[in-house]
Amino acid sequence: MRAARSILVTGASSGIGRATCLEYARRGASVLAMARTEEKLAGLVREIEKSGGRAVASAGDVGKREDVRAAVELANKNFGGLDTAVANAGFGLYAAVDRITEEDFDAITRTNVKGVLWTLQESLPLLRASRGRFAVVSSILGRASVPWSALYCMTKHALTALADSARLELEKDGVSVTLVGPGLTATDFQRNAPSRLGGVPSPSNVRGWTSEKVALRLIAAVERRRREVYMTFPGRALIWARTRFPALADWGVRKWMRKFEERQKRGGNAAP
């Protein structure tokens, strides 16, 4: 199956988004990379062009609909259309439920939920024209929640609902919607997540799949127009247990909570 002709990726400056841009470009696709950090985007574009690929950057905030519209228009202007949009932008927050603020709620839902919806709505006319593909980058935590991440999990559960509804609505137009659920991934996501944990510090770094491995699975699922893909054995096991044996899942999470608290007090690493 051919690689998509033109791609829009949000949250493209680092981690999974950056790796997805590089892999699509390696496959011959033209890439529109969107993120807030202009300097990082410029470096990504240079790297793609140095390898013989084609890329354009659009600095903007997915929480601002006008910024998303500008990115889509730039893709259309430079590439003559859009075959695939990957809504990847998002961030995490560590907070106990009694420490979540209204500002936290507004900020994370603006990016993690509104940003995905705006990306879908603004790219949809071009995707309908190309009978293209839309990818919603969610998380294992869109199906199985864990402590100290309730607000983040809420946003990812919302994306599960959005992807399911959109997939059924848009199939008549030939537009596929793929829900992508990465598990633990070795990026700066954990380090960059704000924390309201008080005495329980947030993880400083994590072990997990590389961004490149996640990008490969993401692209394979999107190209095959799969309904959904969830990654890592522990992540899939957590979803399985949460669905079929919730008490067992709770037992496992409680055990992880104790391990997490102990290792964090020692300065170790037991990220969710």
Side-chain angles (χ1 to χ4, degrees):
M1 183 176 294
R2 74 173 181 90
R5 176 174 56 86
S6 55
I7 314 295
L8 167 67
V9 180
T10 69
S13 62
S14 63
I16 295 170
R18 188 177 192 279
T20 299
C21 289
L22 290 169
E23 180 59 26
Y24 267 123
R26 189 188 69 79
R27 298 179 183 210
S30 299
V31 176
L32 191 294
M34 180 182 180
R36 290 180 297 178
T37 309
E38 191 168 357
E39 183 179 352
K40 289 183 178 180
L41 286 177
L44 173 61
V45 170
R46 286 195 298 271
E47 183 172 348
I48 290 173
E49 291 179 341
K50 186 176 180 180
S51 300
R54 186 182 183 194
V56 177
S58 182
D61 181 351
V62 294
K64 297 179 180 179
R65 187 169 190 146
E66 60 271 23
D67 286 3
V68 179
R69 181 178 299 124
V72 173
E73 290 175 349
L74 191 60
N76 193 32
K77 177 182 177 181
N78 283 271
F79 308 144
L82 193 63
D83 291 279
T84 299
V86 179
N88 169 71
F91 70 92
L93 171 74
Y94 294 107
V97 292
D98 60 346
R99 296 177 67 92
I100 295 171
T101 67
E102 184 173 359
E103 290 75 17
D104 291 333
F105 181 88
D106 290 343
I108 198 169
T109 55
R110 180 174 175 271
T111 297
N112 291 16
V113 181
K114 284 185 178 180
V116 175
L117 180 58
W118 301 157
T119 304
L120 173 61
Q121 290 183 342
E122 292 298 327
S123 64
L124 196 50
L126 296 182
L127 295 179
R128 281 186 169 126
S130 65
R131 299 179 70 82
R133 302 163 173 84
F134 188 79
V136 177
V137 180
S138 179
S139 168
I140 290 293
L141 301 185
R143 293 283 304 279
S145 299
V146 296
W148 302 312
S149 296
L151 191 51
Y152 176 75
C153 294
M154 287 166 61
T155 67
K156 295 304 182 178
H157 276 69
L159 295 186
T160 300
L162 173 60
D164 282 344
S165 295
R167 183 181 64 254
L168 293 170
E169 291 178 24
L170 299 177
E171 60 185 6
K172 68 181 185 303
D173 299 322
V175 177
S176 62
V177 178
T178 300
L179 182 66
V180 180
L184 195 60
T185 307
T187 70
D188 288 336
F189 178 88
Q190 311 283 341
R191 184 183 297 112
N192 294 336
S195 177
R196 307 282 186 271
L197 291 180
V200 183
S202 60
S204 58
N205 199 2
V206 298
R207 297 180 298 272
W209 281 18
T210 65
S211 298
E212 291 75 17
K213 184 175 181 179
V214 173
L216 288 171
R217 294 292 179 89
L218 182 158
I219 292 172
V222 171
E223 290 298 293
R224 296 183 179 116
R225 298 182 183 268
R226 287 183 57 183
R227 173 193 301 265
E228 60 187 18
V229 58
Y230 290 101
M231 304 178 198
T232 77
F233 176 78
R236 293 195 300 271
L238 178 60
I239 292 174
W240 179 85
R242 178 65 67 199
T243 302
R244 293 166 176 80
F245 303 101
L248 176 63
D250 285 350
W251 174 84
V253 172
R254 291 189 189 100
K255 185 175 180 181
W256 165 80
M257 288 172 67
R258 291 192 294 270
K259 180 180 178 182
F260 174 70
E261 289 174 320
E262 290 171 359
R263 293 188 66 180
Q264 287 298 311
K265 288 176 182 177
R266 298 197 303 266
N269 184 16

